[in-house]
Amino acid sequence: MNPTTLTILVLYYSRHGATRKLAELIAQGVESVPGVEARLRTVPAVSTVSEAVEPDIPRAGAPYVELQDLADCAGLALGSPTRFGNMAAAMKYFLDGTATDWLAGTLSGKPAVVFASTGSLHGGQEATLLSMMIPLLHHGMLVMGLPYTHPELMNTASGGSPYGATHWAGIDGDKPVTEDEKRLAIALGRRLAEAAARLQLPLQTQPHGPR
């Protein structure tokens, strides 16, 4: 990795692969911005007593996240399937363990976006996105969504929200990502990467409007 390359952490939990698909599209959007790379990471599943039950190395997909990934990143994309209008317990369990980083301000001032998938149409998508925004706001992150300059937000008959990228996966998780969902996920990743790159510019080089 070039030492000047910015890293965007794309952190997700995915039980059946739908949220992982969105994460990969967001990473694609991130890496469309020169000088920025995506780091895909996941979190282990937890049991009903909130103990980690997965092996130390995932059987497939992205590696498990480490707290150092939070320090390394210039921005964060956070994703989860919907659990009754909330993020999955595995993601909440990880976030609950970031108090040291909260106290240190590790994520403060960094841009962030959120994404989710559901089994039913809508199915609590926006509530889940909002639930993931709350801890990011506590960390002092600059939370962003998708503007309506993306026409897919008006036309989508599946996933897609101004609060973040979403996917309607179907009750069996077998619905493919639609073209609208794909474009919005890529756009979200690109928007995050562009914001992170802009925030890294020295203040004296940034354009100033009228005072």
Side-chain angles (χ1 to χ4, degrees):
M1 184 185 76
N2 188 312
T4 62
T5 299
L6 297 180
T7 298
I8 300 296
L9 178 60
V10 183
L11 176 59
Y12 67 92
Y13 174 69
S14 187
R15 185 70 179 272
H16 301 294
T19 310
R20 177 182 171 183
K21 291 175 187 174
L22 275 185
E24 291 167 348
L25 289 166
I26 288 170
Q28 181 180 330
V30 166
E31 297 196 336
S32 71
V33 177
V36 186
E37 69 171 14
R39 181 181 296 179
L40 281 161
R41 293 292 185 268
T42 189
V43 295
V46 295
S47 73
T48 54
V49 290
S50 296
E51 295 172 343
V53 295
E54 295 294 310
D56 292 338
I57 300 175
R59 298 180 181 90
Y64 291 138
V65 68
E66 298 178 355
L67 293 180
Q68 185 60 41
D69 292 317
L70 301 180
D72 291 344
C73 76
L76 171 65
L78 190 68
S80 172
T82 288
R83 296 290 184 265
F84 302 105
N86 210 323
M87 76 181 87
M91 184 60 71
K92 181 67 163 57
Y93 183 62
F94 170 75
L95 291 172
D96 284 349
T98 61
T100 299
D101 292 278
W102 170 66
L103 288 169
T106 302
L107 293 172
S108 182
K110 297 179 180 181
V113 299
V114 291
F115 58 100
S117 64
T118 53
S120 60
L121 184 59
H122 309 304
Q125 288 185 356
E126 292 188 342
T128 300
L129 296 176
L130 292 170
S131 80
M132 288 188 289
M133 289 181 184
I134 293 171
L136 303 184
L137 290 167
H138 277 265
H139 272 284
M141 301 199 80
L142 309 176
V143 179
M144 306 187 304
L146 279 165
Y148 275 92
T149 50
H150 296 287
E152 294 84 3
L153 284 177
M154 295 296 292
N155 300 328
T156 179
S158 49
S161 163
Y163 306 138
T166 62
H167 170 49
W168 175 27
I171 195 67
D172 296 318
D174 56 359
K175 283 186 175 293
V177 177
T178 67
E179 284 302 309
D180 285 340
E181 292 172 338
K182 179 178 180 178
R183 291 191 191 100
L184 290 169
I186 292 172
L188 187 66
R190 183 167 57 247
R191 182 170 166 81
L192 174 60
E194 289 172 345
R198 192 174 185 85
L199 286 167
Q200 293 296 318
L201 288 174
L203 288 177
Q204 63 269 24
T205 68
Q206 296 192 25
H208 296 284
R211 294 183 180 275

